[in-house]
Amino acid sequence: MHRSASVQRLLIYGLGGPIIALNLWLLYLLFRLFLHPITIVSIAAILAFLLNYPVKFFERVTLTRPRAVIIVLLVTLTLLVILGVTLVPMVIDQTIQLLNKIPDWLATSQANLEHIEALAQKRRLPLDLRVVSNQINANIQSLVQQLASAAVGFAGTVLSGVLDVILVVVLAFYMLLYGDRVWSGIFSLLPPYIRFPLSTSLRLNFHYFFLSQILLALFMVVSLTPVFLILKVPFALLFAILIGISQLIPFIGATLGIGLVTFLILLQNWWLATQVAVAAIIIQQIKDNLLGPKLLGDFIGVNPIWIFVAILMGFEIAGLLGTLVAVPIAGTIKGTFDAIKSGKEANNVT
């Protein structure tokens, strides 16, 4: 009897694994097929989630929810228009200038390598940088071709981006008005022992994560911009914003952004690149050791190894959007399972 139960259990596990893997694969294919609309809906949901806090504030001031939603959206659109008129043109202008300068910077780095190789030969040092020099030359030609082709599709990309922004704002508006009904309907399909811990964990993880990441990104931009201006870094505003945006990618984003900016400046001036790297790392340490723990706390509680695995899987499945939501989703899953486990243990004790 015991042997037959063991065989039955092995059959269940053996057949269940491939079935689960097949279902996950089908879900992945469906996700990739509808990636663009899913991305639009996800961004709108995140925006509505963040805007729901000021909406609740206005509701406490005896305003009805529709009026509070309209006020918050009008203020948000006003801020976006102000940024679009002031900051965005500056960033676009610096981006275009940077793209035009990169080939010259690569040529300068190639000349510097040739100079270093000549000095090494005079001192009879076994240093051969011809492979690196040829690779840089090939990168220059490839980059010029890519910039020329990218300029052709720039207008279409901008138009598509504007339409996506309009869709996101409209969806966020309706989510703020009717999102509670939708979420209540979805969660009502789940049994109570899953519904309550899942909804609580989802709300807390996304709340703390996105608010903290946005505040930390703003801190990096505001702190690095004057430092870069003092150091006379070319494209100071663009590089500061690049590092700040990369901060939205959890744990590794700021490091990747600092590394990219340092590399771009290194093509032109190695001493300036060293100063930029040191200044950015100091500010990053302040952010990670002083501000980060206070804003983030231990709300996730996921092992760092699993966090990196979640980020890699999120990027593979949904690109940049996947990296942004991978950590709060991982925290939500862990928080839900912990709550269910603790509830079962409490019931067993009683």
Side-chain angles (χ1 to χ4, degrees):
M1 186 71 179
H2 182 268
R3 184 177 180 181
S4 62
S6 300
V7 173
Q8 185 179 6
R9 189 179 300 110
L10 288 175
L11 287 175
I12 292 174
Y13 290 153
L15 295 175
I19 292 174
I20 293 173
L22 179 60
N23 288 329
L24 291 176
W25 180 67
L26 291 175
L27 288 175
Y28 172 74
L29 292 181
L30 288 174
F31 183 87
R32 299 297 296 181
L33 182 63
F34 299 101
L35 179 59
H36 185 259
I38 290 175
T39 302
I40 296 296
V41 173
S42 300
I43 295 175
I46 293 171
L47 179 61
F49 178 81
L50 296 174
L51 293 181
N52 191 47
Y53 293 99
V55 168
K56 288 183 177 179
F57 171 78
F58 283 110
E59 282 186 298
R60 295 193 193 100
V61 194
T62 66
L63 284 178
T64 60
R65 186 169 181 84
R67 291 182 180 179
V69 170
I70 292 173
I71 291 174
V72 170
L73 281 181
L74 287 177
V75 172
T76 304
L77 290 174
T78 303
L79 293 176
L80 290 176
V81 169
I82 293 173
L83 290 176
V85 174
T86 58
L87 186 62
V88 173
M90 296 172 58
V91 174
I92 293 176
D93 181 62
Q94 289 196 7
T95 303
I96 295 173
Q97 293 183 30
L98 174 63
L99 294 177
N100 293 328
K101 284 285 186 181
I102 286 178
D104 296 334
W105 287 2
L106 288 173
T108 302
S109 65
Q110 185 180 16
N112 291 334
L113 288 177
E114 293 175 354
H115 179 66
I116 293 173
E117 186 177 2
L119 291 177
Q121 290 177 354
K122 287 181 180 179
R123 299 185 179 184
R124 298 180 180 180
L125 296 176
L127 184 63
D128 188 2
L129 299 176
R130 283 178 296 179
V131 176
V132 179
S133 178
N134 292 334
Q135 184 63 40
I136 292 177
N137 188 36
N139 289 336
I140 293 174
Q141 297 177 0
S142 175
L143 184 61
V144 171
Q145 294 175 357
Q146 290 177 6
L147 292 178
S149 61
V152 175
F154 181 72
T157 303
V158 171
L159 179 60
S160 176
V162 171
L163 293 176
D164 288 343
V165 169
I166 294 174
L167 286 175
V168 167
V169 172
V170 172
L171 278 173
F173 173 75
Y174 283 105
M175 285 181 179
L176 285 170
L177 288 178
Y178 309 111
D180 290 341
R181 302 177 189 175
V182 175
W183 286 114
S184 299
I186 293 175
F187 282 116
S188 65
L189 301 175
L190 301 173
Y193 73 93
I194 296 178
R195 181 195 316 158
F196 297 112
L198 177 60
S199 60
T200 302
S201 180
L202 183 69
R203 177 174 53 83
L204 290 177
N205 277 277
F206 274 81
H207 163 71
Y208 285 110
F209 178 78
F210 281 107
L211 285 183
S212 61
Q213 291 300 106
I214 290 174
L215 291 176
L216 292 175
L218 289 175
F219 169 77
M220 294 294 290
V221 174
V222 173
S223 302
L224 287 173
T225 301
V227 174
F228 286 175
L229 290 174
I230 293 173
L231 294 175
K232 296 182 180 180
V233 177
F235 315 111
L237 178 62
L238 176 63
F239 285 155
I241 292 176
L242 177 61
I243 294 176
I245 292 176
S246 65
Q247 165 62 43
L248 296 176
I249 301 174
F251 297 97
I252 60 174
T255 302
L256 294 176
I258 293 172
L260 176 60
V261 169
T262 303
F263 173 75
L264 290 175
I265 300 175
L266 183 64
L267 296 175
Q268 183 191 24
N269 188 328
W270 69 270
W271 174 239
L272 181 60
T274 303
Q275 293 176 298
V276 167
V278 171
I281 290 173
I282 291 174
I283 295 177
Q284 182 192 14
Q285 292 303 310
I286 294 174
K287 182 262 299 179
D288 290 340
N289 296 309
L290 296 180
L291 296 179
K294 292 183 179 180
L295 292 174
L296 288 170
D298 297 324
F299 77 98
I300 294 177
V302 181
N303 189 295
I305 295 177
W306 292 115
I307 289 176
F308 282 110
V309 172
I311 293 173
L312 292 174
M313 292 179 62
F315 179 78
E316 181 65 25
I317 294 173
L320 180 60
L321 177 65
T323 62
L324 295 179
V325 300
V327 175
I329 289 177
T332 299
I333 294 173
K334 182 182 184 301
T336 302
F337 277 109
D338 288 345
I340 294 173
K341 183 179 178 180
S342 61
K344 289 182 177 180
E345 291 178 351
N347 291 332
N348 292 332
V349 172
T350 57

